[in-house]
Amino acid sequence: MKCMYCNGPLERSRVPYHIDREHVHVIIDEVPAWVCTQCGEAMFDEEAVDEIQQLVTAVDQRTERLAGIA
Ligand SMILES: [Zn+2]
């Protein structure tokens, strides 16, 4: 696997990921990813992307419920 930006070599690593919604901000300290040793860009596995998306959906649902509490 090569970097899609600079074609540099990738190495297995962990990077922080920020979820910024209108009223909610979540920072995951360590998400498994492939990081380019040349330009530093991080690329995520399909599995990690899927988990993040589920997390965002759950956060959205919960904040909606929270906002609905009178
Ligand atoms: Zn690169």
Side-chain angles (χ1 to χ4, degrees), residues 37-48:
T37 57
Q38 207 161 266
C39 74
E41 279 293 337
M43 271 142 281
F44 298 102
D45 291 324
E46 221 172 279
E47 200 183 348

Side-chain angles (χ1 to χ4, degrees), residues 3-5 8 12 14 22 27-29 34-35 38 40-41 43 49 52 58 60:
C3 175
M4 59 189 277
Y5 299 98
R12 203 69 178 131
R14 284 168 186 273
E22 197 177 348
I27 299 166
I28 308 168
D29 285 338
W34 293 95
V35 178
Q38 207 161 266
E41 279 293 337
M43 271 142 281
V49 171
I52 290 168
D60 277 346

Side-chain angles (χ1 to χ4, degrees), residues 4-43:
M4 59 189 277
Y5 299 98
C6 72
N7 220 30
L10 301 176
E11 68 175 11
R12 203 69 178 131
S13 187
R14 284 168 186 273
V15 296
Y17 190 87
H18 299 231
I19 299 164
D20 293 310
R21 317 295 282 178
E22 197 177 348
H23 300 294
V24 186
H25 307 275
V26 179
I27 299 166
I28 308 168
D29 285 338
E30 292 190 339
V31 176
W34 293 95
V35 178
C36 177
T37 57
Q38 207 161 266
C39 74
E41 279 293 337
M43 271 142 281

